[in-house]
Amino acid sequence: MILATHNSLSSYQPKKWWMKILNPFAKCQSLSIEEQYNRGVRMFDIRVRPHTWEAAHGLVTYDVEIKSILTWLNLKAFGRGERIYIRLCCENNSSEMSECDDEWFRWYWKDCKSRYKHLTFCCGYMKK
């Protein structure tokens, strides 16, 4: 069995002051990625805002760099020879996804798979 978290980056601070008001409804985690990993989590749900590369859930964006998180997890997977799974989600806060969003996410998915070779990207979807 693999331990997984939902909205894995939602423990970080919201980027803007007004997002703090919405955060109780968007926050799914209270532990950082490092803390989740240290407690046995090996599948992470990473949600990214299209075109900005920001960690997000709904209207809230989080003050954490996805690149840094994926780099850290990639090093853990390589150094320990274990499988770490990533579920990527394109988190758009508008009511409609555009073709541009779809193309961007396809590109982002491929870029992440080629850049972070020791991670297993098991699922990708566009949240509408």
Side-chain angles (χ1 to χ4, degrees):
M1 178 168 48
I2 298 169
L3 188 58
T5 53
H6 177 73
N7 282 316
S8 302
L9 300 177
S10 64
S11 67
Y12 295 90
Q13 289 297 314
K15 279 192 164 187
K16 298 180 180 177
W17 70 268
W18 60 267
M19 292 178 179
K20 290 179 182 181
I21 298 166
L22 300 175
N23 198 42
F25 305 102
K27 185 175 181 174
C28 299
Q29 301 302 325
S30 60
L31 301 176
S32 69
I33 288 293
E34 293 86 355
E35 292 168 322
Q36 291 173 44
Y37 177 85
N38 289 337
R39 292 191 182 187
V41 173
R42 295 299 181 266
M43 183 171 183
F44 299 90
D45 177 25
I46 307 292
R47 294 171 184 238
V48 60
R49 183 83 71 225
H51 313 288
T52 66
W53 296 276
E54 294 176 305
H57 184 208
L59 296 173
V60 180
T61 55
Y62 295 97
D63 192 16
V64 61
E65 288 188 22
I66 294 175
K67 274 186 178 181
S68 297
I69 295 296
L70 292 176
T71 298
W72 187 84
L73 289 170
N74 193 54
L75 288 171
K76 286 292 184 187
F78 174 72
R80 298 199 175 169
E82 61 188 0
R83 294 192 85 166
I84 296 176
Y85 299 89
I86 305 295
R87 177 182 181 221
L88 274 181
C89 173
C90 185
E91 180 87 22
N92 196 340
N93 64 346
S94 69
S95 60
E96 294 182 17
M97 290 284 198
S98 70
E99 273 187 48
C100 185
D101 293 340
D102 187 48
E103 288 173 24
W104 177 85
F105 188 63
R106 287 176 195 272
W107 170 85
Y108 186 68
W109 172 266
K110 288 177 187 174
D111 183 62
C112 285
K113 284 182 73 170
S114 68
R115 190 178 299 254
Y116 309 104
K117 295 188 183 294
H118 301 289
L119 298 176
T120 302
F121 289 85
C122 59
C123 172
Y125 75 100
M126 297 188 59
K127 184 176 173 188
K128 298 182 180 184

